[in-house]
Amino acid sequence: MDVSIIGSTGYGGMELVRILHKHPNIRIASLHSDSAAGKRLSEIYPHIGSSSDMVLRPVESDWIIAHSDLVILATPSGVSSRLAQVFVDRNHPIIDLSGDFRFTDEALYERWYKKQSAPCRYLKQFTYQLPEFFKSEMDRPFISNPGCYATCVLLGLAPLVQQQLIEENIIIDAKSGLSGAGKSLSHSSHFVNAHDNMTLYKANQHQHIPEITQQLTAWSGMYDTVQFSTSLIPVSRGIFCTMYVQLKDRDKAGMLHELYQAVYKEKPFVRVQPDGQLPDLKQVAGSNYCDIGLVYNKKTNVVTIVSVIDNLIKGAAGQAVQNLNLFAGYPEASGLDLVAPYF
Amino acid sequence: MDVSIIGSTGYGGMELVRILHKHPNIRIASLHSDSAAGKRLSEIYPHIGSSSDMVLRPVESDWIIAHSDLVILATPSGVSSRLAQVFVDRNHPIIDLSGDFRFTDEALYERWYKKQSAPCRYLKQFTYQLPEFFKSEMDRPFISNPGCYATCVLLGLAPLVQQQLIEENIIIDAKSGLSGAGKSLSHSSHFVNAHDNMTLYKANQHQHIPEITQQLTAWSGMYDTVQFSTSLIPVSRGIFCTMYVQLKDRDKAGMLHELYQAVYKEKPFVRVQPDGQLPDLKQVAGSNYCDIGLVYNKKTNVVTIVSVIDNLIKGAAGQAVQNLNLFAGYPEASGLDLVAPYF
Amino acid sequence: MDVSIIGSTGYGGMELVRILHKHPNIRIASLHSDSAAGKRLSEIYPHIGSSSDMVLRPVESDWIIAHSDLVILATPSGVSSRLAQVFVDRNHPIIDLSGDFRFTDEALYERWYKKQSAPCRYLKQFTYQLPEFFKSEMDRPFISNPGCYATCVLLGLAPLVQQQLIEENIIIDAKSGLSGAGKSLSHSSHFVNAHDNMTLYKANQHQHIPEITQQLTAWSGMYDTVQFSTSLIPVSRGIFCTMYVQLKDRDKAGMLHELYQAVYKEKPFVRVQPDGQLPDLKQVAGSNYCDIGLVYNKKTNVVTIVSVIDNLIKGAAGQAVQNLNLFAGYPEASGLDLVAPYF
Amino acid sequence: MDVSIIGSTGYGGMELVRILHKHPNIRIASLHSDSAAGKRLSEIYPHIGSSSDMVLRPVESDWIIAHSDLVILATPSGVSSRLAQVFVDRNHPIIDLSGDFRFTDEALYERWYKKQSAPCRYLKQFTYQLPEFFKSEMDRPFISNPGCYATCVLLGLAPLVQQQLIEENIIIDAKSGLSGAGKSLSHSSHFVNAHDNMTLYKANQHQHIPEITQQLTAWSGMYDTVQFSTSLIPVSRGIFCTMYVQLKDRDKAGMLHELYQAVYKEKPFVRVQPDGQLPDLKQVAGSNYCDIGLVYNKKTNVVTIVSVIDNLIKGAAGQAVQNLNLFAGYPEASGLDLVAPYF
């Protein structure tokens, strides 16, 4: 299968190149970037090996449609919405990494993203697809890849929400490394500001909130809202979500670990930790795993769930490849056999 | 006033030396450490200036009682309990930084600290003293300095709990830098493990839980428990507490900021942030400040409170000096005019 | 003495505020910044205490001359050259932190700084003043504060160069934290680029090279050049210079440590380490110290000298205060009794 | 080919597992560790995937000889010397990662390593093998893998030394991340000490000095010594060597870049940077590359060479696999197609 990537000089796009160039079933047909067209990728990123070096092309949809079987949009929100339309019109398969096609409601998008939405008729073409809960009957070729925070939260909560075991007042305290904000320059990503620091940002206003509630609602009926906070921690990669939920029935506490194991038994990228053990961030950084642990507190009736991912891999490029594998009928883990360096 | 410090080679003890050597009203009479007796402080810590260099003495209570007006125990839990007794017996004033004299109930201590308690008759001599809520009628000369997490949590919650504005199910997600665990060696403090990582440890079992509930109960009647988690983040210094509470009465949301400002108006070391603004960790690191911000979420009825301190200063050495100032009748901020380096 | 600071929102300017607000002999008369005029300093920097908060004024030379006894220019190279002229014309004392008045040769400045020089008649008014080698007969009120790298290098080499003990081929491998590049945004200071990384930049082209050779020449006759490299290391603060020099006379190896001790005996901010011991970076970060250690290698006849400073204090704001103390006749260490936090 | 690894719970051993489990031509036959025998690898390291999980066995040479074709000793210096003997006696191929078989001179080893050497008759069986300069006629099955610093230095200097273009007084300023010191606990690897810090250690006494001079001598005749310093920088992985050498003939300056390109043209893991460009550390971290750049300074006649590697991969496990590939006749890059994550 031949794949083109638009936006290949961002962090997500670059990770796609790194992963796909070793994928046994996929060939990178072309890389596209208007701002860097004509350059070799290695002029921008000296780390890549000669085997994955390519000359960047401008963003030309005709050329892409002619030369590849699918296009991955590794472009920011607000850019994908515009670029995607011609591919949809010509029925050329897309996986979009941005937030632009995660809702079917234009107004909802515009309220949270403060950007103009793609027209509703395009939104409706896309499937929001968390690969662990992929439904095979879906055959629509336009896939919206979940957001990094949303992925980490949803995988951590799915068993409890799907089984309706918890009260509605979920509290999510999420922390992210700096690569989550991308490579554009800002005071909050200046080394001197971010190093040795921690900051809670976008309190109650993060654009992943409606994405989370939409999926929780899809699983369990109406989920009005979640309490969701995001903080920056001084690491480059990784999301660490600590979630606090209350059990409806205290007697179910003893079977939670088993439930998680059962739900994720066949899922190659979710690793439920041994009972009583919580994952640390580093054990997934550099891999496509989502590692989950949980502990129950009898006194407060609170289950604390810790869910960790690499925001650029399971939270973006790796998950896109996972979705691509499912779309193309390859083994779900094809090309994603990555183990964290850990040290 | 002449002050002796026992345990001056630990992080807390060293910070005491650094602060007290510039204190206008206090003279460091002596430094004590059995393990390092006979050495100069500068042989252990090359950073200290010659002005604050001293030869360490062994721990000799007679000598200390003869040469100083007060002794600060910067010793670990389990050591203070033993050392303090002779000073109490001879009525020599003490400020203890450990957790050994924070309860009056031996069994409670032993359950959470997994160590033998000091006898109850000694426990009862001590006053647990958060200086912001110091009661001047107290004249007992044995002061137990609050723990670092407890300080950060209690200052962040005090206005809401004292006014009984919130439901009982408080959720506290606390994060700490590595100096919080002291200078002893362990895998979790090895650079390669801690760097680029985050870990939640002692889930539901941190020994500061009973200290927090004891004080919340003292302020507002029975507080059975709190949901309290502690995680390590890759910084040397600082505690960042994110707390989630539900308002009993949604109509009070609009007056919360004002309430915090009123409660802390006269308190030199608590800085309530401008309305709608949350503090970052670095703005207090290196200072004795506790900075607090809060935001209300209408949809969830949750108040998110962020409270930050430097664990070694406001969470240990600085607060001890603040308590010492109050005990001795000096201005509360004497010797504590420290501003974070920030960059 | 009343002092005004221009450029008080940069890192160096902010450190000046932090230091001077506790200086026993100096009052900050005013802070100036055209870009932030009208704001309170605490709106820009939340870490500062209310005691050092002030409203920023625009840069008005008349006002400054009327209200202060001396002005400190904490402005970048290229800005100081322009701002200084009116103060010189009106004989108002200046300490300049930029590189603009470190040479008397316009062409030399322009070759290394790639900027237009101040006119020669202004350059000649300034004294380049490394306070440890201050000559009291100087009474000119226009002081050029040495650069951060130059300070660290010159203090580390002075005893050997002044005594002409070494061959001319000096090799300097200097490393700096990220605050050295200031708060402006660039890819090299983006957290994701700087963290976990090291980069050698401006190889053989750093603008501190002519500043170093100029002073070495002043001490020992003609010093044509030095081999000088600068690398970024992932810390916020600090310069760590490793210098390699060859002894002219191997028999002098045994007296080097003694020589250093003798030269710096009366200097409050240079701490020669115990014989055979080298300083680490952290022991000076947050202080005005320059710590120096050296070891001799018999086989190669190379003396390795390690010299460390805090780039924002001894390399900028602290040294400016030291120069100010000398200029005003205060004790050299007045207001500079800072000890590294170390942990 | 079936390979056993002894010492698989150290950093180097764990990296071997991570690399070899994806190697197309090699099967990991068994992992051995006396201290962790009976445990699953995933009990010690939660990051590894189930695909590479195995139960650790004790160190039993008979079993290993029966079940594998080659054994890799990822054991520390002082341990390998003892373990290797039985494999040598029974002619079972070995690749040793420690420093124990890098010299043929017992006394030399003991002077630098302060440990007892393996007997000379064993030392002589081993080939010290930097794979880029592998000589195919060698068929001895006992390979000593070069040290991490030595690899980085030797690859950076080889073209100049082999061509005898430089004066003898080489100066090497090497910096390493903390994983270089292994996972054992020490004050220097405590997060609070290493973070935000830099330290020069083992001045003129690092045990890689004789390894470097031995190889330089092999290339160019007698190389008596080098001036070699090692410093710790606050990263987990990577070695950054800055080397300063003087040209014998200034006229050769113009052809140096071309020389490097020619020497490394066919070497898959050495990437000479574009002319005038120096590598940063991160571009190799996580890969088996050694990236090299150089700049010439006309005024000082000094060539500055920057050479960077990942100490655990090119400096240990990756290079061992590279040597294994050469020994077994596989393509040199087999299983080593690793690209740095970079962000």
Side-chain angles (χ1 to χ4, degrees), chain D residues 196-211:
Chain D
D196 283 330
N197 208 356
M198 179 163 186
T199 324
L200 195 158
Y201 67 104
K202 289 196 189 176
N204 304 325
Q205 287 168 21
H206 198 284
Q207 68 275 12
H208 286 184
I209 293 174
E211 183 180 338

Side-chain angles (χ1 to χ4, degrees), chain A residues 173 192 195 227 244 282 300, chain B residues 173 192 195 227 244 282 300:
Chain A
D173 193 272
V192 175
H195 181 65
Q227 178 61 40
Y244 302 95
K282 231 175 182 172
T300 58
Chain B
D173 193 273
V192 174
H195 181 65
Q227 178 60 39
Y244 301 95
K282 231 174 181 173
T300 58

